[in-house]
Amino acid sequence: MDLTDIVADIVAYIAAQEDRGTVASYIPELASVDPAGFGIAIVTADGAMVAGGDADAGFSIQSISKVFALTLALGKAGDQLWERVGREPSGNAFNSIVQLEQERGIPRNPFINAGAIVVSDVNLGGHQPRVAIGEMLRFLRYLTGDDSIAINEAVAASETATGFRNIALANYMRAFGNIHHPVELVLGTYFHQCAIEMNCRQLALAGRFLMLDGRHPDEGRVVSPSRARRINALMLTCGHYDASGDFAFRVGIPGKSGVGGGILAIVPGRASIAVWSPGLNENGNSRLGTLALERLAQRTGWSVFSPAGDSADQ
Ligand code: GLN
């Protein structure tokens, strides 16, 4: 199996697709992104990087930031976090409010917006948003070894001005006592973390600790093996909102999507993969990013359900 050939095949396959999905427009600043873009970067366990397409193009990581925010929050709150957020797929849209009333302000999981807003509340920890956001940026720079990672302030401002659903979610949870800081501070943290810009290469590097059972290849342990496995489990079961089952069925590895069109996918012990294509499907996940990962899984045989792990079936 030659990964370089497989990546070239995927880039050509994606370029030939006519239906590129629909770029998110509810955050005005994202609406102007060209739907033609597609990038892919794969870091393997031996440290090799194989990339193709627009792998150097920066994009808004949006909900992919929820993986890194959860990692930080677990470091602060440990298992007590699970008293404030669940671990079940929601079966609802990423920004849905319906379950929150029945479940008394405890969001289903940390990867839907409501759950990530609780995670931001934990990460604030009595500080100002800039402290929590600085910590998140430092974490990503440490994971990637790349100090150029930054926030796109225009995207953050755009979402702050129009994020009415998220404002509603935060206030609603505050009414149940599950948001402890003022909502503006919590949302300031959340919107800025979503507005972090990265390219596929950087994102694949950031995911290495989840491929390596919690270790950074150069810096040592980031989280314990069991924590890395649990984060991967949540990505598999909840990483694509109400399409998480479909993603697990089609791709078969943990993945976390964002409305900027990125997906971070992890093959434990083998690869950390980032894909990006800004057009989304009806569930708000990258249409062609998912298709690319489906093809990659077919071509490599990579799957968390495969006993051999790398036996290509094509
Ligand atoms: N910032 C986005 C929002 O809150 C993140 C959603 C997403 O990427 N699915 O709506």
Side-chain angles (χ1 to χ4, degrees), residues 59-65 140 193-194 196-198 203 258:
F59 56 89
S60 195
I61 67 169
Q62 292 294 323
S63 285
I64 304 170
S65 66
L140 288 170
Q193 106 188 9
C194 289
I196 292 171
E197 198 156 287
M198 291 170 78
L203 196 54

Side-chain angles (χ1 to χ4, degrees), residues 12-251:
Y13 171 67
I14 295 298
Q17 299 296 317
E18 279 174 15
D19 181 356
R20 306 197 73 83
T22 311
V23 175
S25 57
Y26 75 98
I27 301 174
E29 194 66 23
L30 294 183
S32 55
V33 176
D34 180 1
F38 171 75
I40 178 167
I42 304 172
V43 182
T44 50
D46 60 8
M49 163 85 76
V50 181
D54 305 314
D56 295 303
F59 56 89
S60 195
I61 67 169
Q62 292 294 323
S63 285
I64 304 170
S65 66
K66 293 171 182 170
V67 174
F68 305 104
L70 172 66
T71 306
L72 289 176
L74 285 169
K76 290 180 203 296
D79 283 341
Q80 283 183 344
L81 180 71
W82 305 121
E83 291 166 16
R84 296 177 58 189
V85 58
R87 305 188 294 250
E88 292 294 342
S90 68
N92 280 314
F94 64 88
N95 54 7
S96 170
I97 201 165
V98 293
Q99 267 161 356
L100 273 181
E101 177 155 35
Q102 267 176 345
E103 302 183 357
R104 306 205 55 76
I106 309 290
R108 273 284 173 102
N109 68 68
F111 292 156
I112 52 173
N113 286 11
I117 291 169
V118 171
V119 166
S120 286
D121 190 58
V122 170
N123 283 336
L124 256 178
H127 299 289
Q128 287 299 312
R130 73 183 135 76
V131 177
I133 295 158
E135 188 177 23
M136 167 75 84
L137 280 175
R138 272 196 304 283
F139 185 45
L140 288 170
R141 289 170 182 168
Y142 157 81
L143 290 175
T144 55
D146 186 338
D147 284 345
S148 71
I149 293 170
I151 289 169
N152 181 325
E153 290 292 346
V155 172
S158 183
E159 201 169 350
T160 305
T162 59
F164 305 115
R165 269 182 174 267
N166 290 319
I167 295 167
L169 289 169
N171 278 301
Y172 202 51
M173 291 189 290
R174 178 131 192 186
F176 284 104
N178 199 19
I179 292 291
H180 300 168
H181 298 82
V183 290
E184 331 58 91
L185 302 188
V186 178
L187 290 170
T189 308
Y190 173 74
F191 290 145
H192 281 83
Q193 106 188 9
C194 289
I196 292 171
E197 198 156 287
M198 291 170 78
N199 61 38
C200 287
R201 288 178 195 273
Q202 292 167 329
L203 196 54
L205 290 171
R208 288 175 297 179
F209 77 103
L210 294 171
M211 149 176 73
L212 298 174
D213 229 11
R215 256 186 335 100
H216 185 299
D218 311 314
E219 310 279 352
R221 188 149 295 289
V222 181
V223 296
S224 67
S226 70
R227 183 159 290 167
R229 293 173 196 184
R230 286 173 161 183
I231 294 169
N232 281 329
L234 288 168
M235 287 170 71
L236 186 73
T237 52
C238 311
H240 282 72
Y241 319 112
D242 46 343
S244 298
D246 188 59
F247 186 85
F249 180 85
R250 287 170 59 191
V251 182

